[in-house]
Amino acid sequence: DGGITQSPKYLFRKEGQNVTLSCEQNLNHDAMYWYRQDPGQGLRLIYYSQIVNDFQKGDIAEGYSVSREKKESFPLTVTSAQKNPTAFYLCASSIRTLREKLFFGSGTQLSVL
Amino acid sequence: GQSLEQPSEVTAVEGAIVQINCTYQTSGFYGLSWYQQHDGGAPTFLSYNALDGLEETGRFSSFLSRSDSYGYLLLQELQMKDSASYFCAVRVPIYNQGGKLIFGQGTELSVKP
């Protein structure tokens, strides 16, 4: 079955540490996205990519970095510059002609130790 | 700026009909989408309206009025499993980049027996 896989489900970060969240899709979608969700809040766009080797900043990109070396993969690194990283992180993908319909992974809960 | 407004909570009884409203103020507009998210889970796509009018998908319907910058999600024959958060989302244009999807804060629906 096609879908989006995020790992790990739970992640803990120490002060000053960079951590990387994995996102892999086998839906053959061109576009991929990272959203952050805080408790009781909506989803805020961190980064998105419409094609391999290209990505753009979303609304809250500071303290985060991404890469898109393969169509299937869009990892997110939460750097030590992100001072408030505790949140639920959601990866999504879509076909280019229907960006309103996102397919989401099951998310990664990141907490700070 | 971009903003989407929806009620934070709605409560209804099993078997009833409930309407969740969404008003938006955005610089540009491609369409209005709705997503459902159960607690701790991934959001799932419910519907999309690009043009004015009503779209029906089973027990769920979605309406859009572009002139009023307003839409709603209508849930009929409510079931306990419909208890979840519901998000409206608008795709707004970004020059030469196909647009991005921005989300409202979400409406928590509680269905009572």
Side-chain angles (χ1 to χ4, degrees), chain B residues 25-89:
Chain B
Q25 285 188 308
T26 58
S27 52
F29 176 87
Y30 284 136
L32 181 69
S33 305
W34 289 92
Y35 286 79
Q36 178 192 62
Q37 184 182 32
H38 286 98
D39 201 28
T44 56
F45 174 84
L46 293 176
S47 68
Y48 168 59
N49 295 68
L51 303 175
D52 287 359
L54 191 68
E55 295 280 346
E56 298 182 62
T57 309
R59 294 188 297 114
F60 294 2
S61 303
S62 57
F63 171 83
L64 174 65
S65 169
R66 294 176 69 123
S67 60
D68 296 322
S69 299
Y70 163 76
Y72 64 72
L73 180 69
L74 190 73
L75 296 82
Q76 303 182 70
E77 301 172 18
L78 281 174
Q79 301 175 10
M80 298 296 290
K81 67 178 182 180
D82 297 329
S83 292
S85 292
Y86 292 84
F87 296 89
C88 59

Side-chain angles (χ1 to χ4, degrees), chain A residues 13 15-16 36 62-64 78-86 112:
Chain A
R13 194 191 88 167
E15 290 288 338
R36 169 178 172 146
E62 186 174 350
Y64 301 97
V78 184
T79 74
S80 57
Q82 172 50 245
K83 299 306 180 187
N84 184 24
T86 297
V112 176

Side-chain angles (χ1 to χ4, degrees), chain A residues 41 48 50 59 100 102, chain B residues 35 37 91 97 100 105:
Chain A
Q41 300 294 312
Y48 62 104
Q50 297 186 87
D59 300 313
E100 290 78 6
L102 302 186
Chain B
Y35 286 79
Q37 184 182 32
R91 187 161 74 92
Q97 292 178 14
K100 62 178 181 179
Q105 297 291 294

Side-chain angles (χ1 to χ4, degrees), chain A residues 17-79:
Chain A
Q17 185 182 42
N18 293 351
V19 292
T20 297
L21 285 61
S22 171
C23 178
E24 303 278 332
Q25 56 101 357
N26 60 4
L27 298 167
N28 199 32
H29 287 171
D30 288 306
M32 296 188 73
Y33 314 81
W34 275 104
Y35 284 89
R36 169 178 172 146
Q37 186 175 32
D38 292 283
Q41 300 294 312
L43 284 68
R44 293 184 290 167
L45 183 63
I46 305 172
Y47 267 98
Y48 62 104
S49 168
Q50 297 186 87
I51 198 167
V52 175
N53 293 322
D54 186 52
F55 49 83
Q56 289 82 38
K57 293 181 179 179
D59 300 313
I60 55 165
E62 186 174 350
Y64 301 97
S65 66
V66 293
S67 62
R68 186 85 188 276
E69 298 176 0
K70 298 186 300 181
K71 186 177 185 177
E72 303 80 18
S73 179
F74 192 40
L76 173 74
T77 296
V78 184
T79 74

